[in-house]
Amino acid sequence: MAMELETRETHDMIASDRVEGTAVYNREGERLGTIHRFMVDKISGQAEYAVLSFGGLFGLGNRHYPLPWQKLSYDTGKGGYVVDLTKEQIEGAPSYDEEGDDLPTYDRAYGERLYGYYGMTY
C-alpha cells in the first residue's frame, strides 16, 4: 500500500485519480465542493480547468463549475484546494449539469467567456 501511494503522490506531483474528489475551500475555510475532474490541454499537456462539483444533496442535483486551474492553490494543512472565491461567485459562474444538454464545448469562445467571468485573460 505504501509503495502504491508513493507512485500516485509525491512531494510535487499527484496522480489524476487522487485529484478527483479532493475538497475545495474558499479563503474563509468554507468547503465549496470537490474536484469532479480536470481538463487537460491535449497539445501542451497542461491542466486548464478544474471542474468543481457543487450544490445538491448527497451527489444529487450537483452542478459542475469549470474553474481556471490557476485559480486553485493546494493547501497541505487542509488537504485540499483553496480558491479566492465566494460561494455566491461560484453559483453565478458558468456551469452545467452533466445529465443535461448544456455540456460545455471547451473551445476558445467558451474559454474566453469562462476566464472573463473570473477576471482573467484566456
Side-chain angles (χ1 to χ4, degrees):
M1 180 69 179
M3 185 61 147
E4 180 183 335
L5 182 59
E6 287 174 18
T7 61
R8 293 176 56 215
E9 186 170 353
T10 67
H11 179 69
D12 294 326
M13 303 294 284
I14 189 167
S16 61
D17 63 332
R18 304 249 329 146
V19 174
E20 294 168 358
T22 301
V24 177
Y25 302 90
N26 63 17
R27 293 278 176 222
E28 290 72 40
E30 178 182 23
R31 184 179 167 142
L32 299 174
T34 59
I35 301 292
H36 177 67
R37 69 171 47 107
F38 58 96
M39 305 300 290
V40 177
D41 182 275
K42 289 180 183 178
I43 306 299
S44 72
Q46 300 297 309
E48 292 288 327
Y49 305 101
V51 180
L52 176 69
S53 179
F54 173 71
L57 186 61
F58 305 117
L60 301 173
N62 279 355
R63 300 261 327 147
H64 299 289
Y65 297 82
L67 303 171
W69 189 261
Q70 301 90 328
K71 294 296 279 182
L72 287 89
S73 59
Y74 191 77
D75 184 320
T76 55
K78 287 185 173 28
Y81 292 93
V82 176
V83 293
D84 198 16
L85 299 166
T86 65
K87 184 186 275 190
E88 292 75 25
Q89 286 173 302
I90 292 179
E91 288 173 334
S95 67
Y96 64 94
D97 175 357
E98 205 160 71
E99 305 299 321
D101 58 357
D102 59 346
L103 295 173
T105 57
Y106 290 105
D107 59 7
R108 181 161 190 86
Y110 182 78
E112 288 173 352
R113 184 173 137 238
L114 184 70
Y115 273 61
Y117 177 83
Y118 292 108
M120 302 171 68
T121 303
Y122 182 73

